[in-house]
Amino acid sequence: RQSPSPPAFRPRHLPRLRPPRDPPLLLPRTGSVLRTPPPPLRRAGGRVGAVICLFLVSYSLLDVMTVGILKLKHGIGSKPYPACTTGWPEEVYVAQRIQTNQVEQLPGFLVASLSFSLVVHGRAGAMLSLIWTAMRRLYASTYLRAVGRPINTAGIATYTIPAYFALNSMLVGTAVQCARAWLARG
């Protein structure tokens, strides 16, 4: 049987040190302390935050990595940049276009999903965000499979248009709710 280890030596004249605490966040008008977000805000932020993070992971793994893999496959990474932009294989060009298009769509999605979830309804915001994310993933996979065909026969509008409807629904819903709050103040 082992004997208990002796307590750490601390001279009696020194105060016990505690880790510093973050200063509390004060709400502007009331001066009250906000330690954690209220439950509805926590739930809404958690749901939509999970969907946003899942989309960003899928973007990183499926779009960004695909472009890199295809550039290596076709030997584009070893060429100087101006020379590699002309004469890319179509597969690499399409993967690059998918990645660029996802980046173009992302700011609107982040603003719409977070603002709708916080201002209008958390669960509805998470569902609309999930629809948008699914449509964008289907868009990317459909576009990549369309290599060798004209773009108008690829069928990407099947996924692009519903994604725009989901995104614009969140933006309009947020705008209406904000306008209602503004008008109610008088």
Side-chain angles (χ1 to χ4, degrees), residues 157-183:
T158 305
Y159 306 112
T160 302
I161 293 170
Y164 282 131
F165 272 104
L167 179 71
N168 288 317
S169 296
M170 290 187 286
L171 289 171
V172 170
T174 301
V176 166
Q177 196 70 359
C178 289
R180 288 179 62 206
W182 181 62
L183 291 172

Side-chain angles (χ1 to χ4, degrees), residues 2-101:
Q2 294 180 352
S3 63
S5 60
F9 174 74
R10 181 176 56 86
R12 292 180 186 256
H13 67 280
L14 293 177
R16 176 175 237 138
L17 296 176
R18 292 190 176 109
R21 290 178 46 186
D22 292 332
L25 177 65
L26 297 178
L27 296 175
R29 291 186 184 220
T30 63
S32 62
V33 176
L34 178 66
R35 299 219 184 269
T36 60
L41 187 61
R42 259 196 323 264
R43 284 193 301 270
R47 289 180 187 122
V48 78
V51 172
I52 289 170
C53 290
L54 287 173
F55 174 75
L56 291 174
V57 167
S58 73
Y59 164 75
S60 174
L61 294 176
L62 300 175
D63 297 331
V64 177
M65 295 300 286
T66 299
V67 171
I69 290 167
L70 290 174
K71 283 182 176 180
L72 289 174
K73 176 182 169 184
H74 293 284
I76 293 173
S78 61
K79 297 179 183 175
Y81 190 70
C84 76
T85 57
T86 57
W88 280 9
E90 185 182 8
E91 184 181 30
V92 176
Y93 174 77
V94 167
Q96 184 78 46
R97 267 309 299 142
I98 291 168
Q99 180 186 0
T100 304
N101 195 266

Side-chain angles (χ1 to χ4, degrees), residues 104-156:
E104 292 165 359
Q105 298 291 319
L106 192 58
F109 167 66
L110 293 175
V111 169
S113 60
L114 289 173
S115 62
F116 185 90
S117 295
L118 296 174
V119 173
V120 180
H121 195 273
R123 186 172 292 149
M127 289 308 298
L128 286 167
S129 298
L130 186 61
I131 290 168
W132 183 89
T133 299
M135 292 298 109
R136 295 305 299 170
R137 291 282 20 113
L138 290 168
Y139 155 84
S141 62
T142 302
Y143 196 0
L144 196 55
R145 284 193 315 264
V147 171
R149 295 188 323 203
I151 190 71
N152 59 351
T153 64
I156 59 175

